[in-house]
């Protein structure tokens, strides 16, 4: 049915099935972003990153080091009457563990899938910060295992247990803990402490392979990543809450861009950082740019990042913040330091290049 949507009136509706619709429309962006990432040549002394939804980030360097962190291409609830796996575990569901509230949560995915994992052509590593389902993905794992013979999967012990249970070969698993360093081309990845306290209380009792008890040490459940590149240093906090230890990380590392897990917490939950927490995080890290993420993905925690901007405007004159806030869009590219002074993202509107063929239209005939 390729070309059916050409608005010419041609086609046979009897041949348009649910499967045809799926193949024509999902993922919603097709290979557009795959191609953009492949085609982007990162200038010297810069690094580029794309927001893939939730805390999913793709990072690319001048030497074409390509990594994805927390890329998740699954869904939340897909049916109201029938509880859908994997977000319908009743009292095993993490929201129940967190506040004892209703086991049925209206958590549907609210942003499109902007990248096709099976059309990835260049990648050097798959990273995960922790074991929650919106941060580690079986579709991504399957695509990379099937299409690449030696790309490593990097994460804490619990993540490696999950990948192993899915069939990722043992020699491709790279277990990390805070302090571990991995070098890829012109990129250096440093695992540091995570402050995702939710990860301590929401894991199942059994390990994924059902052969042992899940790790109970935070360092085995979750890490954050510091990504050093020729253009600057990125701090990927995963799902971390606010912690005073950000101050130590800010003194131990020269952080340029900090990604903060922001969201509208339901009553009884402290699952995401508040706007005030995000500002405190950036100040403690001594960062140059604060970028919130994760607020986009779940309908029951959907937040407005303008709140961070407003609070920043209130506090900055008094507190003399070194950093500024940048509000991104899923699917968008941010390049540092090229974009370091920008405050908000806007997609290319298609009018930046010089017009070569201006139609002879009566633009002002209605005046």
């Amino acid at each position: 049915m390729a070309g059916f949507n050409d608005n010419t009136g041609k086609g046979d509706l009897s041949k348009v099935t649910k499967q045809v619709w799926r193949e024509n429309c999902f993922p919603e962006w097709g290979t557009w972003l795959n191609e953009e990432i492949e085609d982007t040549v990162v200038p010297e002394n810069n690094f580029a990153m794309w927001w893939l939804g939730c805390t999913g980030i793709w990072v690319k360097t001048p030497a074409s080091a390509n990594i994805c962190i927390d890329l998740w291409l699954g869904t939340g609830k897909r049916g109201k009457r029938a509880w859908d796996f994997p977000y319908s575990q009743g009292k095993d569901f993490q929201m129940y563990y967190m506040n004892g509230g209703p086991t049925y949560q209206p958590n549907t995915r609210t942003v499109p899938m902007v990248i096709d994992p099976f059309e990835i052509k260049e990648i050097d590593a798959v990273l995960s910060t922790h074991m929650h389902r919106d941060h580690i993905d079986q579709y991504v794992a399957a695509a990379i295992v099937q299409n690449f013979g030696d790309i490593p999967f990097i994460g804490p012990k619990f993540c490696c247990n999950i990948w192993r249970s899915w069939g990722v070969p043992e020699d491709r698993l790279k277990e990390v803990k805070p302090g571990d360093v991995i070098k890829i081309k012109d990129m250096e990845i440093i695992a540091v402490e995570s402050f995702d306290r939710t990860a301590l209380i929401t894991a199942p009792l059994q390990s994924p392979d059902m052969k042992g008890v899940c790790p109970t040490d935070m360092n085995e459940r979750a890490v954050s990543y510091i990504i050093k590149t020729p253009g600057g240093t990125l701090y990927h906090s995963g799902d971390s809450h606010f912690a005073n230890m950000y101050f130590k990380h800010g003194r131990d590392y020269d952080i340029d861009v900090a990604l903060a897990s922001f969201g509208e917490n339901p009553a009884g939950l402290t699952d995401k950082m508040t706007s005030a927490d995000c500002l405190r995080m950036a100040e403690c890290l001594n960062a140059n740019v604060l970028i919130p993420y994760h607020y986009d993905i779940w309908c029951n925690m959907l937040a407005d990042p303008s709140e961070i901007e407003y609070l920043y405007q209130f506090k900055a004159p008094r507190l003399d913040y070194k950093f500024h806030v940048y509000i991104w869009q899923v699917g968008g590219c941010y390049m540092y330091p090229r974009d370091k002074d920008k405050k908000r993202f806007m997609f290319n509107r298609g009018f930046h290049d010089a017009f070569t063929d201006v139609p002879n239209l009566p633009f002002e005939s209605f005046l």
Side-chain angles (χ1 to χ4, degrees):
M1 296 300 292
F4 185 85
N5 295 322
D6 59 6
N7 294 322
T8 63
K10 300 176 182 179
D12 183 352
L13 289 179
S14 67
K15 296 180 180 179
V16 180
T17 64
K18 189 172 184 177
Q19 185 60 31
V20 168
W21 174 57
R22 286 173 173 169
E23 292 177 357
N24 281 353
C25 298
F26 299 96
E28 291 92 332
W29 281 33
T31 59
W32 177 283
L33 193 59
N34 295 69
E35 295 165 24
E36 178 180 317
I37 293 172
E38 292 168 20
D39 294 344
T40 298
V41 177
V42 182
E44 292 299 321
N45 301 316
N46 277 262
F47 74 89
M49 60 181 185
W50 288 262
W51 188 14
L52 308 177
C54 196
T55 66
I57 301 291
W58 189 287
V59 185
K60 187 174 184 178
T61 66
S64 288
N66 284 276
I67 65 170
C68 67
I69 308 170
D70 283 4
L71 173 54
W72 176 65
L73 297 171
T75 66
K77 290 285 178 16
R78 300 181 63 205
K80 187 173 183 179
R81 294 184 181 88
W83 287 9
D84 242 11
F85 180 84
Y87 291 97
S88 302
Q89 309 98 315
K91 291 185 178 181
D92 291 329
F93 185 47
Q94 73 178 58
M95 297 300 174
Y96 181 84
Y97 277 127
M98 291 162 65
N99 72 348
T103 57
Y104 182 86
Q105 295 288 325
N107 50 313
T108 56
R109 182 181 178 120
T110 58
V111 293
M113 299 182 197
V114 296
I115 194 167
D116 186 334
F118 290 93
E119 295 299 328
I120 292 173
K121 299 296 190 292
E122 299 176 4
I123 190 169
D124 294 290
V126 175
L127 284 73
S128 178
T129 58
H130 66 290
M131 74 297 179
H132 284 154
R133 288 184 177 90
D134 51 347
H135 300 264
I136 186 168
D137 185 84
Q138 69 268 36
Y139 305 109
V140 174
I144 300 306
V145 167
Q146 292 172 23
N147 296 331
F148 297 88
D150 57 357
I151 299 303
F153 289 73
I154 301 169
K157 183 175 183 177
F158 204 149
C159 290
C160 288
N161 286 350
I162 293 172
W163 282 321
R164 184 179 293 111
S165 74
W166 288 344
V168 176
E170 190 69 32
D171 62 356
R172 296 177 65 172
L173 298 175
K174 178 62 178 177
E175 187 178 306
V176 293
K177 60 185 182 303
D180 289 345
V181 179
I182 296 175
K183 294 186 178 181
I184 299 175
K185 297 177 181 176
D186 56 345
M187 176 188 295
E188 184 175 271
I189 303 168
I190 305 169
V192 295
E193 293 84 358
S194 168
F195 312 119
D196 181 10
R197 290 180 291 277
T198 303
L200 290 175
I201 63 172
T202 58
L205 297 178
Q206 291 290 116
S207 62
D209 59 9
M210 304 303 288
K211 294 181 180 179
V213 177
C214 289
T216 57
D217 186 328
M218 173 68 92
N219 293 338
E220 294 183 343
R221 291 184 177 228
V223 296
S224 295
Y225 293 109
I226 290 175
I227 314 296
K228 291 185 176 181
T229 77
T233 300
L234 172 68
Y235 189 97
H236 191 295
S237 63
D239 257 1
S240 288
H241 303 151
F242 179 77
N244 290 325
M245 198 169 179
Y246 284 130
F247 186 80
K248 182 178 187 302
H249 288 175
R251 270 53 192 173
D252 291 345
Y253 304 97
D254 186 14
I255 307 298
D256 291 296
V257 180
L259 301 174
S261 190
F262 171 59
E264 194 68 64
N265 293 308
L269 270 66
T270 304
D271 188 52
K272 302 291 179 285
M273 283 195 282
T274 66
S275 53
D277 290 335
C278 292
L279 295 178
R280 291 186 68 199
M281 170 191 171
E283 185 178 27
C284 285
L285 288 174
N286 203 31
N288 295 323
V289 181
L290 166 66
I291 304 179
Y293 63 0
H294 209 317
Y295 62 87
D296 63 301
I297 197 75
W298 295 119
C299 70
N300 60 332
M301 292 191 178
L302 199 62
D304 188 341
S306 297
E307 178 184 331
I308 301 175
E309 291 179 309
Y310 295 151
L311 190 59
Y312 177 89
Q313 292 167 8
F314 175 76
K315 290 191 170 199
R318 294 185 298 114
L319 302 182
D320 193 26
Y321 284 148
K322 168 190 172 183
F323 65 93
H324 69 263
V325 179
Y326 180 79
I327 305 302
W328 214 354
Q329 294 288 335
V330 173
C333 176
Y334 179 83
M335 196 172 293
Y336 189 89
R338 184 196 70 181
D339 300 331
K340 67 181 180 65
D341 295 325
K342 294 183 178 180
K343 303 300 192 303
R344 277 189 173 251
F345 175 83
M346 180 61 190
F347 289 104
N348 185 333
R349 300 172 65 206
F351 301 98
H352 296 98
D353 297 328
F355 288 98
T356 58
D357 185 18
V358 180
N360 183 22
L361 296 176
F363 291 106
E364 299 178 357
S365 62
F366 62 89
L367 297 179

